[in-house]
Amino acid sequence: MQHDKNHVDPILTAIINGDRHLSLRAKINQLSKIRVGAVSYLNTKPLLFGIRKHPVFAEIALTEDYPSKIAQMLVDDEIDIGLVPVATTLRLKEWHIHSDYCIGSDGAVASVCIFSEVQMPEIKSVYLDYQSKTSVNLAKVLLKEYWKKDVEFIDATGEDFREQINGTTAGVVIGDRALEQRKKSKYIYDLGEAWKKYTGLPFVFAAWIANKKLPDKFITAFNEANALGFNSMEEVIKENQFIPFDLRTYYTSCISYKLDEEKKKGLKLFLEKLENLSKT
């Protein structure tokens, strides 16, 4: 693997500094691992379940965080592959999708929505969740092209923005927090559902994207690991209890994990719209 010469890997730093908590063999083994980043949301649990159960787990160094953080790590070459928002590809000099699995939807997704106390025609401003650029950009595309809305956008900088969803101010909320927000807000505009109605295509929120070509043997094993998780849904549900929303419904009806040809068409269309959006 090639790394930015200006970037110092934390594990390499540990070796240089003689970290006594790791044996020399352990340090060398860490350096040879492929650095993988993943989103720490409920929707990634099935895929990560398979990765942890598969022998490929011994070949990786796994980091979990919220989407935009993992995306930045991929851009900065702090990881080699990440389950990142697809808009990240516009910031990469080189990128490859290395799995047949993704975080997608073919209709309502439940966990990526615009929440409001008033109906869409009355919304005047929208808070934008800081945790994912893809969801924020999807909201911008749909507000402009589908709902024909010209609103003020407010970049959220912390969790308190959800308390500001009131009156004519709405908010884009994603992930597990969106599933909780469904219990609080009067009006819910599901972005997966709106995209499907607008384009007739499914949507890809995040995919396994690498910033360099990875070994074919690893890609094959990594894909097998994702498949293992996908086919172990009942075990995943048992391991992850979540009161605000039924996980069986979420995993089997809301999230669509297979990166098929229709999703690739939806992904291509979205990236084209993003490029057009950046020009306006």
Side-chain angles (χ1 to χ4, degrees):
M1 294 179 289
Q2 294 181 346
H3 301 284
D4 185 339
K5 63 182 181 181
N6 295 318
H7 172 70
V8 180
D9 191 288
I11 297 174
L12 180 58
T13 302
I15 291 176
I16 294 170
N17 294 336
D19 189 334
R20 296 179 180 178
H21 297 289
L22 291 174
S23 68
L24 181 59
R25 182 181 296 276
K27 295 170 188 174
I28 293 172
N29 286 342
Q30 284 291 329
L31 280 175
S32 67
K33 290 187 175 184
I34 290 177
R35 303 166 300 170
V36 178
V39 175
S40 54
Y41 286 165
L42 283 167
N43 56 25
T44 67
K45 297 294 185 183
L47 303 184
L48 292 179
F49 177 90
I51 289 169
R52 289 191 171 97
K53 296 289 185 180
H54 193 277
V56 78
F57 189 57
E59 300 176 28
I60 70 174
L62 180 64
T63 299
E64 293 182 65
D65 216 312
Y66 58 84
S68 59
K69 181 66 180 296
I70 294 296
Q72 190 60 51
M73 291 181 71
L74 189 67
V75 171
D76 293 340
D77 198 28
E78 293 176 359
I79 55 174
D80 304 304
I81 183 172
L83 186 56
V84 298
V86 295
T88 310
T89 57
L90 301 180
R91 302 165 57 202
L92 294 169
K93 294 179 181 179
E94 175 186 353
W95 59 276
H96 308 268
I97 293 180
H98 278 327
S99 176
D100 296 332
Y101 294 87
C102 68
I103 304 299
S105 71
D106 193 13
V109 67
S111 55
V112 183
C113 306
I114 295 174
F115 294 94
S116 176
E117 293 303 306
V118 297
Q119 295 186 43
M120 183 60 71
E122 300 174 59
I123 295 174
K124 294 181 180 178
S125 58
V126 179
Y127 271 94
L128 302 175
D129 199 326
Y130 67 93
Q131 291 203 4
S132 173
K133 296 295 184 185
T134 290
S135 299
V136 161
N137 284 317
L138 176 59
K140 288 181 176 179
V141 167
L142 291 171
L143 282 164
K144 179 182 178 182
E145 299 183 15
Y146 178 64
W147 284 300
K148 310 296 183 183
K149 291 285 294 180
D150 183 14
V151 300
E152 175 192 4
F153 292 116
I154 308 168
D155 291 323
T157 56
E159 288 303 308
D160 60 343
F161 83 93
R162 286 190 285 162
E163 302 303 319
Q164 307 305 316
I165 298 174
N166 199 13
T168 58
T169 298
V172 177
V173 185
I174 71 165
D176 306 351
R177 298 132 67 245
L179 298 177
E180 296 168 350
Q181 191 68 29
R182 299 180 70 88
K183 302 287 186 181
K184 302 176 183 179
S185 294
K186 186 175 181 180
Y187 295 98
I188 302 171
Y189 298 94
D190 190 298
L191 299 189
E193 181 178 31
W195 173 264
K196 178 72 174 183
K197 288 180 178 178
Y198 179 47
T199 67
L201 292 168
F203 191 80
V204 178
F205 291 95
W208 287 110
I209 297 171
N211 54 16
K212 57 181 69 68
K213 189 75 175 72
L214 298 177
D216 291 339
K217 185 178 179 181
F218 170 79
I219 294 168
T220 298
F222 193 72
N223 206 40
E224 289 175 355
N226 277 262
L228 175 61
F230 177 76
N231 292 318
S232 304
M233 208 64 77
E234 288 303 316
E235 290 180 70
V236 176
I237 292 169
K238 288 178 183 177
E239 280 192 3
N240 298 278
Q241 299 300 314
F242 188 70
I243 295 173
F245 200 89
D246 180 68
L247 287 186
R248 183 170 284 100
T249 300
Y250 186 50
Y251 288 145
T252 61
S253 299
C254 300
I255 303 297
S256 182
Y257 288 99
K258 292 286 188 71
L259 184 58
D260 56 23
E261 290 305 313
E262 284 298 290
K263 285 200 187 70
K264 290 177 182 177
K265 290 179 185 177
L267 172 57
K268 182 175 182 292
L269 178 60
F270 176 63
L271 293 180
E272 289 171 356
K273 288 185 177 295
L274 273 195
E275 289 184 352
N276 292 333
L277 188 67
S278 65
K279 296 174 185 177
T280 59

